[in-house]
Amino acid sequence: MRNLKPIIIIAFLAGILSWLVAWWMIAAVSFVVTVNHKLKPRDGFLSGFIGVALLWLGFVLWRDIPNEHILANRLVGPGLLPLPNGWMLMLLTVILGGLIGGLAGWSGAIMNKAFRK
Amino acid sequence: MRKLPAILLLVVTTAIVYMLDKPLGSLPAVGKLLDPISGCWANAEPVNKDFTREDNFPGLKDEASVSFDENLIPHINAKNDYDLYYIQGYVHAYFRLWQMDLQTRAAAGRLSEILGDKTLSFDRLQRRKGMVYGAEQSLKAMEADPRSKQMLDAYTAGINAFIDSRIFRTYPLEYKLIGFKPEQWTNLKTALLLKYMADDLTGYTEDIAMTALRDALSADEFAMLYPERLSGVNTVIPHDTIQQVPSLKIPVAPADSIAWAHLNADDFEKTEEGKGSNNWALSGSRTKSGAPILSNDPHLGLSMPSLWFVAQLTAPGVNVFGATLPGAPGVVIGFNDNISWGFTNNYRDVKDFYTLKETGKNSYWFNGKETQYENRVEVIKIKGKPDYNDTVHYTVQGPVMYDERFHGPGGLKRPMAMCWMAHQPSNEMLALYLLNRANNYETYTKAIWNFLCPAQNMLYADKAGNIALWGQGQFINKWKEQGRYVMNGADSSTLWGEKIPVSENPHAYNPAQGYLASANQTVTDTTYPYWYNGTFYEFRSWRINSVLRQTHHATVQDMFALQNDVYSILAANVLPVMLQHINASTITDKERGYLDMLGNWDYCLTAESKAATVFQVWWENFYNVLWNAKLSKIHNAIKPSPERTMQLLLQGSPYLGNVDDAVANSLHNSIDSLDKLKHENRLEWYHAKNTTIKHLARLAPFSFSDLKLGGWGNVVNAAKGDHGPSWRMVVQMSKNIDAYGVYPGGQSGNPGSKYYATFLDKWVKGEYYKLNFYTTDKKQTPKYIWTIHAKS
């Protein structure tokens, strides 16, 4: 698994920098890490996606399980987040995080390829 | 050639991230919100969260502690007043910051800053009412007294200590959803919150409608339909306790031609029926234990988070428990080691209107002279739009609420100034400060005399066995009918005159009847020497009085039962008459089917009663049909009260017109609504009325609807659609105080907390929590403790 290392680095760094700076550090980190690792575009996307999705999944579960799902269920419904239940909100969160990470990772890989001599 | 797509992708990615970081239209910043690290997920509070902590608070003078019981009711223990109110501010903010912030912004007319221009007209109305002006006046009075000043300063410092410790991750959830952030608290915000309550309780504007009615109806008919005082009422203050000799001379009314304005504009704000409260106290002669029992359930708009937050405050010289108002220091309704007290709204009219004759852009006619307006430029900030400036004119009477630039509801555009007690300096904070520390009837009265607006029926019971009730507020010595209708603003004879000394306010102390009760009914009979009018409600009072008259050996459980009583005096009186007017030969089978459901009805608006639904729907239609026929020419007229309607109906009064027709037509009209309810399987009364507790931001998933409880505004358990008993309390003043309470909500304002709606279930069922009042000689076992050190 060539991609394992960047995935772990992305999840780790994005976690720390999101906590300290702002949520969009997930994109910045995915971009920088894929540039650094000279990944192929497909691997860049996957590393970003999986790295951030894992990070967000971990945090969602860490918040949700001790909360016994109270907040997740309160946030969904007509007039707020039109989803059928709290599980879907968790899934949506993780996919959103993954897509942002993936896009940024893909961008990083492509940029690297385009400007590499 | 590979560079362009790469740059393009980077740009697109950046744009997407940027967009997810900013709110889009009414959508929140989705990325920022869903980020599980700092977004909404960070507000998921672990269900077994350990609230225990040890901390330093900046600016605290001494050590202090807060003990929480299992429902998160805090018992704050401080070594001095400053620390006590500091920690109360901190605790309020800790659990309810967003609500406090939103409500004070609403009071000040600043919602558009965070919600955009959809709330602009609301904000303008607030400014036009002079809400900030009134708060500023009161703040001056509050800051002039060292006790209330210290109370406010400490409270503000406590809230700000909490706000300063917040970052985006730890903001209350609603800030993240709506997309704004907490701002620093000020003493003015507390004053604004009190004006918000005053507006809720004395804010009605029916003088305008009454003027139109008086002008349209014959004098005889008007007096019959809208009597100044209803007969046959059980007044708040019993007849035999009225002090009949006034210290002030009753003023003589000016000639009608000078006093009154006549209106052509025909619209007005609708008042809502049955917004009110109940309180009653039994003296020891009527209770089983021999100790007085005090009961109170203030009816207010029901919302999540709840208006109330329960707490105990202990410091040298004070040990008080009860309902506190997040945004204001002290306990509003509750008890201490010696006394207990409760409030209901008094409803004497303290808000009057004057028509103005404008003589120019910036002047009006007064006492034969052109007089300049004083102007107050109200700058309303609007999210995403330029500021909106509204110049509000002030006359000798008060702010010009309506004019060409800001129409009253229905297009009232004639300039109209408002004179309102809430604009006068008053120090309700000092009233609460002293009330929380009062230990007998004398100190109680001294305390409440500082409470000037909104006027309240202030009930009292003490451990020594006394009960008392004051119709307390600041009132004006008015000439007959002054302020009942819109007055002529061009003459000084219509201005408010002297203030009635508060010591002459109607009151009763240990009356012969052995109990006292108020439920927003008429305050006194005509032996009270000063003239007043008001919007009074009688049904709950009739019921409470009839029950209490027959109550002996009462227990707290009897009081629970009465607070949850749903017997409808209206139904018991009018339904038999309505049924008599039915012409059996003309009704349809379907109508007969519904009428049969009323057959054995006990007149109780219980949750599961279908008969209650049939009656309520039919009555509503009947009342409208009856008066619409009569008042159709007067657009949007206020109808005679249901109480008066009932009396006229029982008397067979000719003023009602054709009752047979009204009964038949209204029954016919009711069928569609009833069929619809039946079809949806919602014929049970609790479905039909749908008591709902809405989140303050109207977010449905944070709200609770279709709650299974009976009641209505005109029965003791006044749970309507979105109004109802906001705090039920019963206190027996025995040696060890025996107190119970419940409110529809929970201590935490966080929808992600298990304490968000802790008490709702018991409130719906009419059950109570025993209130755990800490005293020095009682061993306590708190669940969590905050140990707080002063920062050195």
PDB file of all heavy atoms in Angstrom, chain B residues 203-230:
ATOM      1  N   GLY B 203     -48.070  45.409  26.554  1.00  0.00           N
ATOM      2  CA  GLY B 203     -47.827  46.001  25.249  1.00  0.00           C
ATOM      3  C   GLY B 203     -49.035  46.163  24.348  1.00  0.00           C
ATOM      4  O   GLY B 203     -48.894  46.574  23.215  1.00  0.00           O
ATOM      5  N   TYR B 204     -50.217  45.861  24.821  1.00  0.00           N
ATOM      6  CA  TYR B 204     -51.368  45.859  23.915  1.00  0.00           C
ATOM      7  C   TYR B 204     -51.805  47.267  23.530  1.00  0.00           C
ATOM      8  O   TYR B 204     -51.581  48.232  24.243  1.00  0.00           O
ATOM      9  CB  TYR B 204     -52.525  45.058  24.512  1.00  0.00           C
ATOM     10  CG  TYR B 204     -52.562  45.115  26.011  1.00  0.00           C
ATOM     11  CD1 TYR B 204     -53.132  46.189  26.670  1.00  0.00           C
ATOM     12  CD2 TYR B 204     -51.972  44.104  26.756  1.00  0.00           C
ATOM     13  CE1 TYR B 204     -53.132  46.261  28.047  1.00  0.00           C
ATOM     14  CE2 TYR B 204     -51.958  44.174  28.125  1.00  0.00           C
ATOM     15  CZ  TYR B 204     -52.547  45.257  28.769  1.00  0.00           C
ATOM     16  OH  TYR B 204     -52.526  45.340  30.118  1.00  0.00           O
ATOM     17  N   THR B 205     -52.452  47.337  22.388  1.00  0.00           N
ATOM     18  CA  THR B 205     -52.765  48.646  21.821  1.00  0.00           C
ATOM     19  C   THR B 205     -54.243  48.768  21.495  1.00  0.00           C
ATOM     20  O   THR B 205     -54.615  49.326  20.492  1.00  0.00           O
ATOM     21  CB  THR B 205     -51.964  48.867  20.525  1.00  0.00           C
ATOM     22  OG1 THR B 205     -52.274  47.782  19.635  1.00  0.00           O
ATOM     23  CG2 THR B 205     -50.490  48.883  20.772  1.00  0.00           C
ATOM     24  N   GLU B 206     -55.108  48.211  22.338  1.00  0.00           N
ATOM     25  CA  GLU B 206     -56.504  48.175  21.924  1.00  0.00           C
ATOM     26  C   GLU B 206     -57.242  49.490  22.116  1.00  0.00           C
ATOM     27  O   GLU B 206     -58.389  49.604  21.699  1.00  0.00           O
ATOM     28  CB  GLU B 206     -57.243  47.019  22.583  1.00  0.00           C
ATOM     29  CG  GLU B 206     -57.355  47.148  24.083  1.00  0.00           C
ATOM     30  CD  GLU B 206     -58.146  45.968  24.645  1.00  0.00           C
ATOM     31  OE1 GLU B 206     -58.097  44.892  24.075  1.00  0.00           O
ATOM     32  OE2 GLU B 206     -58.816  46.175  25.659  1.00  0.00           O
ATOM     33  N   ASP B 207     -56.586  50.501  22.676  1.00  0.00           N
ATOM     34  CA  ASP B 207     -57.221  51.831  22.759  1.00  0.00           C
ATOM     35  C   ASP B 207     -57.708  52.268  21.381  1.00  0.00           C
ATOM     36  O   ASP B 207     -58.754  52.905  21.239  1.00  0.00           O
ATOM     37  CB  ASP B 207     -56.227  52.893  23.237  1.00  0.00           C
ATOM     38  CG  ASP B 207     -55.627  52.577  24.597  1.00  0.00           C
ATOM     39  OD1 ASP B 207     -55.905  51.484  25.124  1.00  0.00           O
ATOM     40  OD2 ASP B 207     -54.886  53.422  25.108  1.00  0.00           O
ATOM     41  N   ILE B 208     -56.919  51.926  20.377  1.00  0.00           N
ATOM     42  CA  ILE B 208     -57.221  52.374  19.020  1.00  0.00           C
ATOM     43  C   ILE B 208     -58.507  51.721  18.520  1.00  0.00           C
ATOM     44  O   ILE B 208     -59.401  52.383  17.989  1.00  0.00           O
ATOM     45  CB  ILE B 208     -56.021  52.068  18.101  1.00  0.00           C
ATOM     46  CG1 ILE B 208     -54.795  52.868  18.590  1.00  0.00           C
ATOM     47  CG2 ILE B 208     -56.343  52.385  16.648  1.00  0.00           C
ATOM     48  CD1 ILE B 208     -53.478  52.416  18.000  1.00  0.00           C
ATOM     49  N   ALA B 209     -58.632  50.421  18.761  1.00  0.00           N
ATOM     50  CA  ALA B 209     -59.842  49.722  18.336  1.00  0.00           C
ATOM     51  C   ALA B 209     -61.055  50.174  19.130  1.00  0.00           C
ATOM     52  O   ALA B 209     -62.158  50.329  18.586  1.00  0.00           O
ATOM     53  CB  ALA B 209     -59.639  48.221  18.505  1.00  0.00           C
ATOM     54  N   MET B 210     -60.855  50.411  20.412  1.00  0.00           N
ATOM     55  CA  MET B 210     -61.976  50.836  21.240  1.00  0.00           C
ATOM     56  C   MET B 210     -62.495  52.201  20.788  1.00  0.00           C
ATOM     57  O   MET B 210     -63.692  52.475  20.847  1.00  0.00           O
ATOM     58  CB  MET B 210     -61.550  50.904  22.719  1.00  0.00           C
ATOM     59  CG  MET B 210     -61.282  49.544  23.335  1.00  0.00           C
ATOM     60  SD  MET B 210     -62.712  48.444  23.266  1.00  0.00           S
ATOM     61  CE  MET B 210     -63.560  48.933  24.741  1.00  0.00           C
ATOM     62  N   THR B 211     -61.585  53.041  20.337  1.00  0.00           N
ATOM     63  CA  THR B 211     -61.994  54.350  19.838  1.00  0.00           C
ATOM     64  C   THR B 211     -62.909  54.191  18.628  1.00  0.00           C
ATOM     65  O   THR B 211     -63.958  54.837  18.536  1.00  0.00           O
ATOM     66  CB  THR B 211     -60.746  55.163  19.458  1.00  0.00           C
ATOM     67  OG1 THR B 211     -59.900  55.231  20.595  1.00  0.00           O
ATOM     68  CG2 THR B 211     -61.108  56.564  19.004  1.00  0.00           C
ATOM     69  N   ALA B 212     -62.519  53.309  17.732  1.00  0.00           N
ATOM     70  CA  ALA B 212     -63.333  53.083  16.535  1.00  0.00           C
ATOM     71  C   ALA B 212     -64.707  52.530  16.916  1.00  0.00           C
ATOM     72  O   ALA B 212     -65.732  52.937  16.369  1.00  0.00           O
ATOM     73  CB  ALA B 212     -62.606  52.113  15.598  1.00  0.00           C
ATOM     74  N   LEU B 213     -64.744  51.639  17.886  1.00  0.00           N
ATOM     75  CA  LEU B 213     -66.010  51.050  18.315  1.00  0.00           C
ATOM     76  C   LEU B 213     -66.912  52.088  18.977  1.00  0.00           C
ATOM     77  O   LEU B 213     -68.104  52.154  18.705  1.00  0.00           O
ATOM     78  CB  LEU B 213     -65.747  49.906  19.307  1.00  0.00           C
ATOM     79  CG  LEU B 213     -65.247  48.609  18.674  1.00  0.00           C
ATOM     80  CD1 LEU B 213     -64.619  47.714  19.722  1.00  0.00           C
ATOM     81  CD2 LEU B 213     -66.402  47.889  17.979  1.00  0.00           C
ATOM     82  N   ARG B 214     -66.332  52.889  19.852  1.00  0.00           N
ATOM     83  CA  ARG B 214     -67.116  53.917  20.529  1.00  0.00           C
ATOM     84  C   ARG B 214     -67.737  54.878  19.512  1.00  0.00           C
ATOM     85  O   ARG B 214     -68.877  55.297  19.638  1.00  0.00           O
ATOM     86  CB  ARG B 214     -66.234  54.686  21.508  1.00  0.00           C
ATOM     87  CG  ARG B 214     -66.955  55.783  22.265  1.00  0.00           C
ATOM     88  CD  ARG B 214     -65.988  56.855  22.719  1.00  0.00           C
ATOM     89  NE  ARG B 214     -65.239  57.375  21.580  1.00  0.00           N
ATOM     90  CZ  ARG B 214     -64.193  58.165  21.674  1.00  0.00           C
ATOM     91  NH1 ARG B 214     -63.734  58.511  22.856  1.00  0.00           N
ATOM     92  NH2 ARG B 214     -63.566  58.595  20.601  1.00  0.00           N
ATOM     93  N   ASP B 215     -66.934  55.196  18.480  1.00  0.00           N
ATOM     94  CA  ASP B 215     -67.443  56.119  17.463  1.00  0.00           C
ATOM     95  C   ASP B 215     -68.536  55.488  16.606  1.00  0.00           C
ATOM     96  O   ASP B 215     -69.410  56.174  16.101  1.00  0.00           O
ATOM     97  CB  ASP B 215     -66.290  56.579  16.549  1.00  0.00           C
ATOM     98  CG  ASP B 215     -65.364  57.552  17.270  1.00  0.00           C
ATOM     99  OD1 ASP B 215     -65.702  57.952  18.403  1.00  0.00           O
ATOM    100  OD2 ASP B 215     -64.312  57.901  16.706  1.00  0.00           O
ATOM    101  N   ALA B 216     -68.490  54.157  16.461  1.00  0.00           N
ATOM    102  CA  ALA B 216     -69.404  53.508  15.524  1.00  0.00           C
ATOM    103  C   ALA B 216     -70.716  53.063  16.175  1.00  0.00           C
ATOM    104  O   ALA B 216     -71.761  53.020  15.533  1.00  0.00           O
ATOM    105  CB  ALA B 216     -68.722  52.311  14.877  1.00  0.00           C
ATOM    106  N   LEU B 217     -70.672  52.710  17.453  1.00  0.00           N
ATOM    107  CA  LEU B 217     -71.864  52.161  18.097  1.00  0.00           C
ATOM    108  C   LEU B 217     -72.594  53.258  18.871  1.00  0.00           C
ATOM    109  O   LEU B 217     -71.991  54.271  19.250  1.00  0.00           O
ATOM    110  CB  LEU B 217     -71.467  51.046  19.071  1.00  0.00           C
ATOM    111  CG  LEU B 217     -70.780  49.823  18.467  1.00  0.00           C
ATOM    112  CD1 LEU B 217     -70.251  48.918  19.574  1.00  0.00           C
ATOM    113  CD2 LEU B 217     -71.738  49.054  17.557  1.00  0.00           C
ATOM    114  N   SER B 218     -73.875  53.014  19.134  1.00  0.00           N
ATOM    115  CA  SER B 218     -74.600  53.954  20.000  1.00  0.00           C
ATOM    116  C   SER B 218     -74.044  53.816  21.410  1.00  0.00           C
ATOM    117  O   SER B 218     -73.509  52.772  21.789  1.00  0.00           O
ATOM    118  CB  SER B 218     -76.097  53.636  19.987  1.00  0.00           C
ATOM    119  OG  SER B 218     -76.325  52.456  20.728  1.00  0.00           O
ATOM    120  N   ALA B 219     -74.186  54.885  22.190  1.00  0.00           N
ATOM    121  CA  ALA B 219     -73.616  54.895  23.548  1.00  0.00           C
ATOM    122  C   ALA B 219     -74.173  53.737  24.363  1.00  0.00           C
ATOM    123  O   ALA B 219     -73.453  53.055  25.098  1.00  0.00           O
ATOM    124  CB  ALA B 219     -73.917  56.222  24.225  1.00  0.00           C
ATOM    125  N   ASP B 220     -75.451  53.511  24.203  1.00  0.00           N
ATOM    126  CA  ASP B 220     -76.142  52.471  24.941  1.00  0.00           C
ATOM    127  C   ASP B 220     -75.590  51.089  24.598  1.00  0.00           C
ATOM    128  O   ASP B 220     -75.247  50.276  25.460  1.00  0.00           O
ATOM    129  CB  ASP B 220     -77.633  52.584  24.549  1.00  0.00           C
ATOM    130  CG  ASP B 220     -78.459  51.546  25.243  1.00  0.00           C
ATOM    131  OD1 ASP B 220     -78.188  51.329  26.442  1.00  0.00           O
ATOM    132  OD2 ASP B 220     -79.343  50.965  24.597  1.00  0.00           O
ATOM    133  N   GLU B 221     -75.499  50.857  23.300  1.00  0.00           N
ATOM    134  CA  GLU B 221     -75.027  49.557  22.823  1.00  0.00           C
ATOM    135  C   GLU B 221     -73.573  49.340  23.219  1.00  0.00           C
ATOM    136  O   GLU B 221     -73.175  48.259  23.670  1.00  0.00           O
ATOM    137  CB  GLU B 221     -75.163  49.506  21.300  1.00  0.00           C
ATOM    138  CG  GLU B 221     -75.070  48.124  20.739  1.00  0.00           C
ATOM    139  CD  GLU B 221     -75.530  48.076  19.281  1.00  0.00           C
ATOM    140  OE1 GLU B 221     -75.391  49.095  18.566  1.00  0.00           O
ATOM    141  OE2 GLU B 221     -76.030  47.030  18.879  1.00  0.00           O
ATOM    142  N   PHE B 222     -72.783  50.385  23.079  1.00  0.00           N
ATOM    143  CA  PHE B 222     -71.369  50.281  23.421  1.00  0.00           C
ATOM    144  C   PHE B 222     -71.204  49.909  24.896  1.00  0.00           C
ATOM    145  O   PHE B 222     -70.445  49.018  25.253  1.00  0.00           O
ATOM    146  CB  PHE B 222     -70.658  51.611  23.122  1.00  0.00           C
ATOM    147  CG  PHE B 222     -69.195  51.589  23.434  1.00  0.00           C
ATOM    148  CD1 PHE B 222     -68.306  50.907  22.607  1.00  0.00           C
ATOM    149  CD2 PHE B 222     -68.703  52.211  24.566  1.00  0.00           C
ATOM    150  CE1 PHE B 222     -66.958  50.863  22.900  1.00  0.00           C
ATOM    151  CE2 PHE B 222     -67.356  52.172  24.869  1.00  0.00           C
ATOM    152  CZ  PHE B 222     -66.480  51.499  24.036  1.00  0.00           C
ATOM    153  N   ALA B 223     -71.973  50.572  25.755  1.00  0.00           N
ATOM    154  CA  ALA B 223     -71.873  50.295  27.191  1.00  0.00           C
ATOM    155  C   ALA B 223     -72.318  48.866  27.510  1.00  0.00           C
ATOM    156  O   ALA B 223     -71.786  48.220  28.410  1.00  0.00           O
ATOM    157  CB  ALA B 223     -72.697  51.296  27.978  1.00  0.00           C
ATOM    158  N   MET B 224     -73.282  48.394  26.746  1.00  0.00           N
ATOM    159  CA  MET B 224     -73.799  47.052  26.992  1.00  0.00           C
ATOM    160  C   MET B 224     -72.792  45.977  26.559  1.00  0.00           C
ATOM    161  O   MET B 224     -72.598  44.985  27.245  1.00  0.00           O
ATOM    162  CB  MET B 224     -75.125  46.900  26.227  1.00  0.00           C
ATOM    163  CG  MET B 224     -75.859  45.607  26.463  1.00  0.00           C
ATOM    164  SD  MET B 224     -76.271  45.333  28.197  1.00  0.00           S
ATOM    165  CE  MET B 224     -77.487  46.630  28.468  1.00  0.00           C
ATOM    166  N   LEU B 225     -72.171  46.205  25.407  1.00  0.00           N
ATOM    167  CA  LEU B 225     -71.257  45.185  24.871  1.00  0.00           C
ATOM    168  C   LEU B 225     -69.866  45.262  25.477  1.00  0.00           C
ATOM    169  O   LEU B 225     -69.178  44.257  25.596  1.00  0.00           O
ATOM    170  CB  LEU B 225     -71.164  45.311  23.340  1.00  0.00           C
ATOM    171  CG  LEU B 225     -72.470  45.162  22.565  1.00  0.00           C
ATOM    172  CD1 LEU B 225     -72.199  45.187  21.065  1.00  0.00           C
ATOM    173  CD2 LEU B 225     -73.192  43.881  22.946  1.00  0.00           C
ATOM    174  N   TYR B 226     -69.447  46.503  25.790  1.00  0.00           N
ATOM    175  CA  TYR B 226     -68.084  46.675  26.313  1.00  0.00           C
ATOM    176  C   TYR B 226     -68.133  47.391  27.656  1.00  0.00           C
ATOM    177  O   TYR B 226     -67.698  48.531  27.777  1.00  0.00           O
ATOM    178  CB  TYR B 226     -67.223  47.481  25.327  1.00  0.00           C
ATOM    179  CG  TYR B 226     -67.177  46.879  23.947  1.00  0.00           C
ATOM    180  CD1 TYR B 226     -68.073  47.257  22.960  1.00  0.00           C
ATOM    181  CD2 TYR B 226     -66.221  45.906  23.642  1.00  0.00           C
ATOM    182  CE1 TYR B 226     -68.044  46.686  21.695  1.00  0.00           C
ATOM    183  CE2 TYR B 226     -66.179  45.324  22.375  1.00  0.00           C
ATOM    184  CZ  TYR B 226     -67.094  45.725  21.412  1.00  0.00           C
ATOM    185  OH  TYR B 226     -67.051  45.156  20.168  1.00  0.00           O
ATOM    186  N   PRO B 227     -68.701  46.746  28.650  1.00  0.00           N
ATOM    187  CA  PRO B 227     -68.823  47.436  29.942  1.00  0.00           C
ATOM    188  C   PRO B 227     -67.427  47.768  30.475  1.00  0.00           C
ATOM    189  O   PRO B 227     -66.479  47.008  30.272  1.00  0.00           O
ATOM    190  CB  PRO B 227     -69.525  46.407  30.831  1.00  0.00           C
ATOM    191  CG  PRO B 227     -69.267  45.088  30.189  1.00  0.00           C
ATOM    192  CD  PRO B 227     -69.145  45.345  28.719  1.00  0.00           C
ATOM    193  N   GLU B 228     -67.341  48.907  31.127  1.00  0.00           N
ATOM    194  CA  GLU B 228     -66.054  49.313  31.679  1.00  0.00           C
ATOM    195  C   GLU B 228     -65.584  48.296  32.716  1.00  0.00           C
ATOM    196  O   GLU B 228     -64.420  47.946  32.779  1.00  0.00           O
ATOM    197  CB  GLU B 228     -66.231  50.691  32.313  1.00  0.00           C
ATOM    198  CG  GLU B 228     -64.951  51.356  32.686  1.00  0.00           C
ATOM    199  CD  GLU B 228     -65.252  52.709  33.299  1.00  0.00           C
ATOM    200  OE1 GLU B 228     -65.820  53.564  32.593  1.00  0.00           O
ATOM    201  OE2 GLU B 228     -64.950  52.891  34.486  1.00  0.00           O
ATOM    202  N   ARG B 229     -66.528  47.815  33.545  1.00  0.00           N
ATOM    203  CA  ARG B 229     -66.231  46.736  34.489  1.00  0.00           C
ATOM    204  C   ARG B 229     -67.318  45.688  34.339  1.00  0.00           C
ATOM    205  O   ARG B 229     -68.500  46.020  34.354  1.00  0.00           O
ATOM    206  CB  ARG B 229     -66.257  47.223  35.940  1.00  0.00           C
ATOM    207  CG  ARG B 229     -65.244  48.244  36.286  1.00  0.00           C
ATOM    208  CD  ARG B 229     -63.860  47.644  36.425  1.00  0.00           C
ATOM    209  NE  ARG B 229     -62.875  48.707  36.479  1.00  0.00           N
ATOM    210  CZ  ARG B 229     -62.648  49.424  37.580  1.00  0.00           C
ATOM    211  NH1 ARG B 229     -63.267  49.143  38.674  1.00  0.00           N
ATOM    212  NH2 ARG B 229     -61.783  50.402  37.554  1.00  0.00           N
ATOM    213  N   LEU B 230     -66.895  44.449  34.275  1.00  0.00           N
ATOM    214  CA  LEU B 230     -67.854  43.369  34.194  1.00  0.00           C
ATOM    215  C   LEU B 230     -68.485  43.172  35.573  1.00  0.00           C
ATOM    216  O   LEU B 230     -67.808  43.298  36.587  1.00  0.00           O
ATOM    217  CB  LEU B 230     -67.103  42.102  33.776  1.00  0.00           C
ATOM    218  CG  LEU B 230     -67.879  41.030  33.044  1.00  0.00           C
ATOM    219  CD1 LEU B 230     -68.340  41.551  31.684  1.00  0.00           C
ATOM    220  CD2 LEU B 230     -66.999  39.807  32.851  1.00  0.00           C
TER     221      LEU B 230
END
